[in-house]
Amino acid sequence: MVVDDNLAVVALLDWELAGVGPGELDVAWFCEMNRMRSTGPAGFVPLPGFPADDMTWARWEAAVGRRADAVGWFQRYSAVRVAVLLQLYLTAMVHRGVLPAGHRALNENSGTRRLQELFS
């Protein structure tokens, strides 16, 4: 939690996947999280208003004044991180009894589909 001078909470930060690295890491993470949120678990067509990856990368390159390096590597790395996060979430849902053990979503979800797309 971030608090102001009066000890009022002014922000909540999620640090579970924080890391240090080049800007490409953040842009790729943003793109993968956008993909997961816009297409949803069923793999729908992205909703209007979510920027395409190429637009996101172009805006970042224009802002920092250089071309992005190793975009494919950072995309794959971020997709693995998203898939792990999703797997942890789904496993917790099984543990809480929200999903039955062995539910197909554990092996077939937007994270696993994205990994198949990127690594096939």
Side-chain angles (χ1 to χ4, degrees), residues 25-46:
L25 188 61
D26 292 327
V27 178
W29 176 251
F30 177 82
C31 289
E32 289 304 319
M33 291 301 287
N34 257 0
R35 181 173 288 99
M36 184 181 72
R37 289 182 185 118
S38 69
T39 61
F44 298 115
V45 173

Side-chain angles (χ1 to χ4, degrees), residues 5-98:
D5 292 339
N6 299 315
L7 300 179
V9 176
V10 295
L12 295 173
L13 304 175
D14 181 359
W15 293 94
E16 71 182 340
L17 290 173
V20 176
E24 286 89 345
L25 188 61
D26 292 327
V27 178
W29 176 251
F30 177 82
C31 289
E32 289 304 319
M33 291 301 287
N34 257 0
R35 181 173 288 99
M36 184 181 72
R37 289 182 185 118
S38 69
T39 61
F44 298 115
V45 173
L47 296 170
F50 282 87
D53 288 359
D54 57 350
M55 179 184 291
T56 301
W57 284 104
R59 286 179 179 173
W60 180 80
E61 289 174 340
V64 299
R66 70 172 178 85
R67 303 262 317 144
D69 286 329
V71 170
W73 187 92
F74 286 107
Q75 284 177 320
R76 287 174 177 83
Y77 179 69
S78 294
V80 167
R81 291 176 74 203
V82 168
V84 168
L85 182 64
L86 185 55
Q87 189 66 37
L88 291 170
Y89 173 75
L90 292 169
T91 301
M93 290 182 69
V94 169
H95 180 72
R96 292 183 185 124
V98 177

